[in-house]
Amino acid sequence: MPKFYARRRLSVLAGLTGLVATAALFNSPTASAALPTPINGSTARSYLSQLTVAAEDRTGYSRDKFPTWITIEGNCNTREYIIKRDGTNVVTNSACTATSGSWYSPYDGATWTSASDVDIDHLVPLAEAWDSGASKWTTAQRQAFANDVTRPQPLAVTDNVNQSKGDQDPATWIPSRTAYDCTYVRAWVQVKYYYNLSVDPAEKTALQNDLSGC
């Protein structure tokens, strides 16, 4: 049975900036995803040193074992909540579906003006969580993980970038926008530590290397 540590709720980044024209790539961000601020680099290195190192085991994994898109607030499910949180000037209808707005993907630096062009990425993928301890959780615990909007876990990113990432950990995938790498690995360690998930040897080495500059 995994241990769920009691942690203080982290503040949410404020201040979404800029003007957006069309769905395109820009050299500098015109808006920014409001991912809850991850722990700092020093804390991340400390947390990483405390994580159990173990080989991964995907036996029995199914995405259906992580119920997603539960109601978070009002009529908004998890996806709709993150779409509103991570966008700029988002307008929704009575069903909480976004009808307009813009979304900046911190992974690749793209800005989109249609919510259909962004996916909600689980920063620590569900399959990765299963491999590193979630297989022992109850369905209710896996549901809580899949819909956790308090930790720096789900965020809106370009859809094909999310699909390219798949279930990879930082040993094989890191955002192409290098300015976000430090935020990404700090968030990764925070989520793994909070949920008492293990890391495999290659993953730990990659995290140590990435965090050395944070």
Side-chain angles (χ1 to χ4, degrees):
M1 185 67 64
K3 288 192 299 182
F4 285 73
Y5 294 88
R7 303 282 183 243
R8 287 188 299 174
R9 183 165 296 190
L10 298 173
S11 62
V12 176
L13 288 175
L16 302 177
T17 60
L19 300 173
V20 177
T22 57
L25 287 174
F26 291 82
N27 290 329
S28 59
T30 56
S32 58
L35 185 75
T37 306
I39 54 177
N40 62 34
S42 176
T43 302
R45 288 188 289 273
S46 174
Y47 282 6
L48 179 59
S49 71
Q50 299 173 56
L51 294 181
T52 299
V53 179
E56 295 183 347
D57 182 1
R58 191 157 299 184
T59 304
Y61 170 72
S62 167
R63 187 180 176 90
D64 292 341
K65 294 180 179 179
F66 291 81
T68 51
W69 309 163
I70 64 172
T71 299
I72 298 295
E73 180 180 86
N75 293 327
C76 303
N77 66 22
T78 312
R79 174 183 165 80
E80 294 159 343
Y81 178 90
I82 298 299
I83 288 291
K84 287 178 64 179
R85 185 197 74 180
D86 290 5
T88 299
N89 299 325
V90 177
V91 176
T92 60
N93 60 24
S94 59
C96 201
T97 302
T99 58
S100 64
S102 62
W103 292 267
Y104 173 73
S105 170
Y107 286 0
D108 60 336
T111 298
W112 305 96
T113 55
S114 174
S116 63
D117 288 321
V118 298
D119 281 352
I120 306 305
D121 179 44
H122 289 98
L123 194 138
V124 175
L126 305 183
E128 169 69 24
W130 177 273
D131 295 349
S132 51
S135 60
K136 300 179 177 66
W137 297 354
T138 65
T139 298
Q141 289 170 323
R142 289 192 288 267
Q143 176 176 289
F145 177 83
N147 299 278
D148 185 355
V149 298
T150 302
R151 256 61 55 184
Q153 167 67 342
L155 74 163
V157 299
T158 302
D159 52 5
N160 64 317
V161 173
N162 182 46
Q163 292 153 22
S164 175
K165 172 188 171 181
D167 57 12
Q168 298 179 81
D169 68 33
T172 55
W173 192 93
I174 203 79
S176 62
R177 181 172 162 263
T178 56
Y180 201 70
D181 290 354
C182 187
T183 300
Y184 185 83
V185 293
R186 284 157 44 214
W188 183 283
V189 171
Q190 179 178 342
V191 171
K192 284 230 161 174
Y193 181 79
Y194 181 87
Y195 284 98
N196 198 27
L197 295 170
S198 63
V199 290
D200 65 54
E203 176 188 356
K204 182 171 183 177
T205 296
L207 289 166
Q208 287 174 324
N209 291 338
D210 291 330
L211 284 170
S212 64
C214 294

